[in-house]
Amino acid sequence: MTLFAVAVATAVVVLRATPNRARRDGRGSAAAPVPQPAASPAAGAPFRVLAGCAAAGAVLLYAWGVLCVAFAVMEAEDGGTGSAPLRPCRTDEHPELSGRIVDYSVSWLPLGFRCETADGDGYTSDDVPGYVNPGTAVLALTAAGSAVAAGYATEPRARAAARNGGDDRPFEHPRGPV
């Protein structure tokens, strides 16, 4: 999911950085390139800042959860004295199940470490904090929503500037109000 978000952000940056295209006149020949107007930088700036901060927070929170899962796996794989039941599966909440744990499974989306018994029963370990998955989802959705809002905030001025040949003031007809 994080890779998808990075790919989308890269595509947006690359598409915005493409050179200006030449405008064709009525005869089909290319006229001089028309500079693309820039929307007011202040129009969507708060949304862009919010999107960037929320995306960074989502990545950091997800990375924290991945570290928690990785440490739980390292503890589970560590053999030797005191390794049964698995250390991440030792809990006071499920003492009857802790002694019957035979294996574990890991989930990367949503993040989780599940302790499993031979009969298929089991429970989720507390090694991944409960706030990681909901927090990552909320921050990722906030980042996406803010990015969309930034686009909507800058669109009207960009369209007006494109209509007016680079001037972002409202369009006025040469003969006056129509």
Side-chain angles (χ1 to χ4, degrees):
M1 179 146 169
T2 304
L3 282 171
F4 178 73
V6 169
V8 169
T10 304
V12 168
V13 169
V14 168
L15 289 176
R16 287 186 179 239
T18 56
N20 297 332
R21 303 205 177 189
R23 184 179 283 177
R24 301 225 176 240
D25 61 11
R27 297 178 301 240
S29 62
V34 176
Q36 295 294 324
S40 171
F47 292 117
R48 284 191 296 274
V49 169
L50 179 61
C53 290
V59 168
L60 288 173
L61 194 56
Y62 186 80
W64 171 249
V66 166
L67 281 174
C68 291
V69 170
F71 284 131
V73 169
M74 284 179 20
E75 269 191 312
E77 292 294 323
D78 186 23
T81 306
S83 62
L86 300 172
R87 281 190 209 113
C89 298
R90 294 178 191 168
T91 177
D92 293 334
E93 292 177 30
H94 307 284
E96 69 283 350
L97 288 177
S98 292
R100 299 183 331 185
I101 297 298
V102 294
D103 201 9
Y104 67 90
S105 63
V106 174
S107 171
W108 297 105
L109 192 63
L111 291 168
F113 185 90
R114 181 169 170 78
C115 303
E116 299 173 344
T117 61
D119 62 358
D121 199 10
Y123 57 92
T124 303
S125 172
D126 293 334
D127 286 331
V128 179
Y131 60 85
V132 170
N133 289 317
T136 301
V138 166
L139 286 170
L141 289 174
T142 301
S146 298
V148 169
Y152 278 119
T154 57
E155 183 181 6
R157 291 190 71 123
R159 286 182 185 247
R163 270 194 311 271
N164 297 332
D167 187 11
D168 62 353
R169 292 179 294 178
F171 179 73
E172 294 179 13
H173 197 277
R175 291 179 280 170
V178 178

Short mmCIF file of all heavy atoms in Angstrom, two decimals, residues 2-41:
data_model
loop_
_atom_site.label_atom_id
_atom_site.label_comp_id
_atom_site.label_asym_id
_atom_site.label_seq_id
_atom_site.Cartn_x
_atom_site.Cartn_y
_atom_site.Cartn_z
N THR A 2 1.95 1.20 0.78
CA THR A 2 2.86 2.34 0.83
C THR A 2 3.53 2.52 -0.52
O THR A 2 3.70 3.65 -0.98
CB THR A 2 3.91 2.13 1.93
OG1 THR A 2 3.23 1.91 3.16
CG2 THR A 2 4.81 3.33 2.05
N LEU A 3 3.89 1.41 -1.16
CA LEU A 3 4.49 1.51 -2.49
C LEU A 3 3.52 2.14 -3.48
O LEU A 3 3.93 2.92 -4.34
CB LEU A 3 4.91 0.13 -2.98
CG LEU A 3 6.21 -0.39 -2.39
CD1 LEU A 3 6.41 -1.84 -2.77
CD2 LEU A 3 7.37 0.44 -2.87
N PHE A 4 2.25 1.81 -3.38
CA PHE A 4 1.25 2.39 -4.26
C PHE A 4 1.16 3.91 -4.06
O PHE A 4 1.12 4.66 -5.02
CB PHE A 4 -0.12 1.75 -3.99
CG PHE A 4 -1.21 2.33 -4.83
CD1 PHE A 4 -1.29 2.05 -6.19
CD2 PHE A 4 -2.16 3.17 -4.27
CE1 PHE A 4 -2.29 2.60 -6.96
CE2 PHE A 4 -3.17 3.72 -5.03
CZ PHE A 4 -3.23 3.42 -6.39
N ALA A 5 1.18 4.35 -2.81
CA ALA A 5 1.12 5.79 -2.52
C ALA A 5 2.36 6.50 -3.06
O ALA A 5 2.26 7.60 -3.62
CB ALA A 5 0.99 6.01 -1.02
N VAL A 6 3.52 5.89 -2.93
CA VAL A 6 4.75 6.49 -3.45
C VAL A 6 4.69 6.56 -4.97
O VAL A 6 5.10 7.55 -5.58
CB VAL A 6 5.99 5.70 -2.97
CG1 VAL A 6 7.24 6.13 -3.69
CG2 VAL A 6 6.16 5.86 -1.47
N ALA A 7 4.18 5.51 -5.61
CA ALA A 7 4.07 5.50 -7.07
C ALA A 7 3.13 6.59 -7.56
O ALA A 7 3.42 7.28 -8.55
CB ALA A 7 3.59 4.13 -7.54
N VAL A 8 2.01 6.78 -6.90
CA VAL A 8 1.06 7.82 -7.29
C VAL A 8 1.68 9.21 -7.12
O VAL A 8 1.58 10.07 -8.00
CB VAL A 8 -0.25 7.69 -6.50
CG1 VAL A 8 -1.14 8.91 -6.69
CG2 VAL A 8 -0.98 6.43 -6.91
N ALA A 9 2.35 9.42 -6.00
CA ALA A 9 2.98 10.72 -5.76
C ALA A 9 4.07 10.99 -6.79
O ALA A 9 4.19 12.12 -7.30
CB ALA A 9 3.57 10.76 -4.35
N THR A 10 4.85 9.99 -7.16
CA THR A 10 5.88 10.16 -8.17
C THR A 10 5.27 10.48 -9.52
O THR A 10 5.76 11.35 -10.25
CB THR A 10 6.75 8.89 -8.26
OG1 THR A 10 7.28 8.61 -6.98
CG2 THR A 10 7.86 9.05 -9.27
N ALA A 11 4.20 9.80 -9.87
CA ALA A 11 3.53 10.06 -11.15
C ALA A 11 3.00 11.48 -11.21
O ALA A 11 3.12 12.15 -12.24
CB ALA A 11 2.39 9.06 -11.35
N VAL A 12 2.44 11.97 -10.12
CA VAL A 12 1.93 13.34 -10.09
C VAL A 12 3.06 14.34 -10.29
O VAL A 12 2.95 15.29 -11.07
CB VAL A 12 1.17 13.61 -8.78
CG1 VAL A 12 0.87 15.09 -8.59
CG2 VAL A 12 -0.12 12.81 -8.75
N VAL A 13 4.17 14.12 -9.61
CA VAL A 13 5.30 15.04 -9.73
C VAL A 13 5.86 15.02 -11.15
O VAL A 13 6.15 16.06 -11.74
CB VAL A 13 6.40 14.69 -8.70
CG1 VAL A 13 7.68 15.44 -8.98
CG2 VAL A 13 5.90 14.99 -7.31
N VAL A 14 5.99 13.84 -11.74
CA VAL A 14 6.54 13.73 -13.08
C VAL A 14 5.61 14.38 -14.10
O VAL A 14 6.05 15.09 -15.00
CB VAL A 14 6.81 12.25 -13.44
CG1 VAL A 14 7.09 12.07 -14.91
CG2 VAL A 14 7.96 11.72 -12.60
N LEU A 15 4.31 14.14 -13.96
CA LEU A 15 3.36 14.73 -14.91
C LEU A 15 3.32 16.24 -14.80
O LEU A 15 3.11 16.93 -15.79
CB LEU A 15 1.97 14.14 -14.70
CG LEU A 15 1.82 12.68 -15.14
CD1 LEU A 15 0.44 12.17 -14.80
CD2 LEU A 15 2.09 12.53 -16.62
N ARG A 16 3.49 16.77 -13.62
CA ARG A 16 3.48 18.22 -13.46
C ARG A 16 4.76 18.85 -13.99
O ARG A 16 4.79 20.03 -14.29
CB ARG A 16 3.27 18.61 -12.01
CG ARG A 16 1.86 18.37 -11.54
CD ARG A 16 1.66 18.89 -10.15
NE ARG A 16 0.31 18.67 -9.73
CZ ARG A 16 -0.51 19.64 -9.37
NH1 ARG A 16 -0.11 20.87 -9.36
NH2 ARG A 16 -1.73 19.37 -9.01
N ALA A 17 5.83 18.08 -14.07
CA ALA A 17 7.11 18.61 -14.51
C ALA A 17 7.34 18.47 -16.01
O ALA A 17 8.40 18.83 -16.50
CB ALA A 17 8.24 17.91 -13.76
N THR A 18 6.37 17.94 -16.76
CA THR A 18 6.56 17.79 -18.20
C THR A 18 6.63 19.15 -18.86
O THR A 18 6.01 20.11 -18.42
CB THR A 18 5.40 16.98 -18.82
OG1 THR A 18 4.17 17.62 -18.51
CG2 THR A 18 5.40 15.56 -18.33
N PRO A 19 7.43 19.27 -19.94
CA PRO A 19 7.58 20.57 -20.60
C PRO A 19 6.29 21.02 -21.26
O PRO A 19 5.41 20.21 -21.56
CB PRO A 19 8.68 20.32 -21.64
CG PRO A 19 8.69 18.85 -21.85
CD PRO A 19 8.22 18.24 -20.56
N ASN A 20 6.21 22.33 -21.50
CA ASN A 20 5.01 22.89 -22.13
C ASN A 20 4.87 22.37 -23.54
O ASN A 20 5.85 22.18 -24.25
CB ASN A 20 5.11 24.42 -22.18
CG ASN A 20 5.15 25.01 -20.80
OD1 ASN A 20 4.63 24.42 -19.87
ND2 ASN A 20 5.78 26.16 -20.66
N ARG A 21 3.65 22.18 -23.97
CA ARG A 21 3.40 21.70 -25.31
C ARG A 21 3.06 22.89 -26.20
O ARG A 21 2.50 23.88 -25.76
CB ARG A 21 2.25 20.72 -25.31
CG ARG A 21 2.57 19.59 -24.36
CD ARG A 21 1.86 18.40 -24.70
NE ARG A 21 2.37 17.42 -23.73
CZ ARG A 21 2.10 16.17 -23.79
NH1 ARG A 21 1.39 15.73 -24.75
NH2 ARG A 21 2.58 15.34 -22.92
N ALA A 22 3.41 22.76 -27.44
CA ALA A 22 3.14 23.84 -28.39
C ALA A 22 1.65 23.86 -28.72
O ALA A 22 1.02 22.82 -28.88
CB ALA A 22 3.96 23.65 -29.66
N ARG A 23 1.09 25.06 -28.87
CA ARG A 23 -0.30 25.21 -29.25
C ARG A 23 -0.37 25.25 -30.77
O ARG A 23 0.43 25.90 -31.42
CB ARG A 23 -0.86 26.49 -28.66
CG ARG A 23 -2.34 26.66 -28.95
CD ARG A 23 -2.87 27.91 -28.35
NE ARG A 23 -3.06 27.71 -26.92
CZ ARG A 23 -3.47 28.66 -26.11
NH1 ARG A 23 -3.72 29.86 -26.56
NH2 ARG A 23 -3.63 28.42 -24.84
N ARG A 24 -1.31 24.54 -31.35
CA ARG A 24 -1.43 24.49 -32.81
C ARG A 24 -2.37 25.59 -33.28
O ARG A 24 -3.41 25.84 -32.68
CB ARG A 24 -1.97 23.14 -33.24
CG ARG A 24 -1.07 22.01 -32.79
CD ARG A 24 -0.88 21.05 -33.91
NE ARG A 24 0.06 20.02 -33.48
CZ ARG A 24 1.20 19.79 -34.10
NH1 ARG A 24 1.55 20.51 -35.12
NH2 ARG A 24 1.98 18.83 -33.69
N ASP A 25 -1.96 26.24 -34.36
CA ASP A 25 -2.86 27.24 -34.93
C ASP A 25 -3.81 26.53 -35.88
O ASP A 25 -3.77 25.33 -36.04
CB ASP A 25 -2.09 28.37 -35.60
CG ASP A 25 -1.22 27.90 -36.75
OD1 ASP A 25 -1.38 26.73 -37.15
OD2 ASP A 25 -0.40 28.69 -37.24
N GLY A 26 -4.67 27.24 -36.56
CA GLY A 26 -5.70 26.66 -37.42
C GLY A 26 -5.14 25.87 -38.58
O GLY A 26 -5.79 25.00 -39.12
N ARG A 27 -3.91 26.15 -39.06
CA ARG A 27 -3.36 25.45 -40.22
C ARG A 27 -2.66 24.16 -39.83
O ARG A 27 -2.16 23.45 -40.68
CB ARG A 27 -2.37 26.36 -40.92
CG ARG A 27 -3.04 27.63 -41.46
CD ARG A 27 -2.01 28.50 -42.10
NE ARG A 27 -0.99 28.84 -41.09
CZ ARG A 27 -0.68 30.04 -40.70
NH1 ARG A 27 -1.30 31.06 -41.23
NH2 ARG A 27 0.24 30.26 -39.81
N GLY A 28 -2.58 23.81 -38.58
CA GLY A 28 -1.97 22.56 -38.17
C GLY A 28 -0.49 22.67 -37.83
O GLY A 28 0.12 21.71 -37.42
N SER A 29 0.10 23.86 -38.01
CA SER A 29 1.51 24.00 -37.67
C SER A 29 1.63 24.41 -36.20
O SER A 29 0.73 25.03 -35.64
CB SER A 29 2.19 25.03 -38.57
OG SER A 29 1.59 26.28 -38.36
N ALA A 30 2.75 24.10 -35.63
CA ALA A 30 2.95 24.41 -34.22
C ALA A 30 3.36 25.86 -34.06
O ALA A 30 4.27 26.34 -34.71
CB ALA A 30 4.01 23.49 -33.63
N ALA A 31 2.67 26.56 -33.22
CA ALA A 31 3.03 27.93 -32.90
C ALA A 31 4.02 27.90 -31.74
O ALA A 31 4.41 26.84 -31.26
CB ALA A 31 1.77 28.71 -32.51
N ALA A 32 4.40 29.04 -31.27
CA ALA A 32 5.34 29.11 -30.15
C ALA A 32 4.71 28.47 -28.92
O ALA A 32 3.50 28.54 -28.72
CB ALA A 32 5.68 30.56 -29.86
N PRO A 33 5.55 27.83 -28.09
CA PRO A 33 4.99 27.22 -26.88
C PRO A 33 4.32 28.26 -26.00
O PRO A 33 4.81 29.36 -25.84
CB PRO A 33 6.19 26.63 -26.18
CG PRO A 33 7.29 26.62 -27.18
CD PRO A 33 6.96 27.63 -28.21
N VAL A 34 3.19 27.88 -25.46
CA VAL A 34 2.46 28.77 -24.56
C VAL A 34 2.81 28.37 -23.14
O VAL A 34 2.65 27.21 -22.76
CB VAL A 34 0.94 28.64 -24.79
CG1 VAL A 34 0.17 29.48 -23.81
CG2 VAL A 34 0.59 28.99 -26.21
N PRO A 35 3.33 29.29 -22.34
CA PRO A 35 3.68 28.93 -20.98
C PRO A 35 2.43 28.53 -20.20
O PRO A 35 1.38 29.14 -20.32
CB PRO A 35 4.32 30.18 -20.40
CG PRO A 35 3.83 31.29 -21.27
CD PRO A 35 3.56 30.70 -22.62
N GLN A 36 2.57 27.47 -19.42
CA GLN A 36 1.46 27.02 -18.60
C GLN A 36 1.37 27.90 -17.36
O GLN A 36 2.37 28.15 -16.70
CB GLN A 36 1.67 25.57 -18.17
CG GLN A 36 1.65 24.60 -19.33
CD GLN A 36 0.29 24.53 -19.97
OE1 GLN A 36 -0.73 24.62 -19.29
NE2 GLN A 36 0.26 24.39 -21.28
N PRO A 37 0.20 28.41 -17.08
CA PRO A 37 0.05 29.27 -15.91
C PRO A 37 0.17 28.48 -14.62
O PRO A 37 -0.23 27.33 -14.56
CB PRO A 37 -1.35 29.85 -16.07
CG PRO A 37 -2.08 28.80 -16.84
CD PRO A 37 -1.06 28.20 -17.78
N ALA A 38 0.71 29.11 -13.66
CA ALA A 38 0.79 28.48 -12.33
C ALA A 38 -0.38 28.96 -11.50
O ALA A 38 -0.73 30.14 -11.51
CB ALA A 38 2.10 28.86 -11.66
N ALA A 39 -0.97 28.06 -10.81
CA ALA A 39 -2.04 28.45 -9.90
C ALA A 39 -1.42 29.18 -8.72
O ALA A 39 -0.23 29.10 -8.47
CB ALA A 39 -2.80 27.23 -9.43
N SER A 40 -2.24 29.89 -8.04
CA SER A 40 -1.75 30.61 -6.88
C SER A 40 -1.16 29.62 -5.89
O SER A 40 -1.82 28.66 -5.51
CB SER A 40 -2.91 31.35 -6.22
OG SER A 40 -2.50 31.87 -4.98
N PRO A 41 0.09 29.81 -5.49
CA PRO A 41 0.70 28.85 -4.59
C PRO A 41 0.01 28.80 -3.23
O PRO A 41 0.07 27.80 -2.54
CB PRO A 41 2.14 29.32 -4.46
CG PRO A 41 2.19 30.70 -4.98
CD PRO A 41 0.98 30.89 -5.84
#
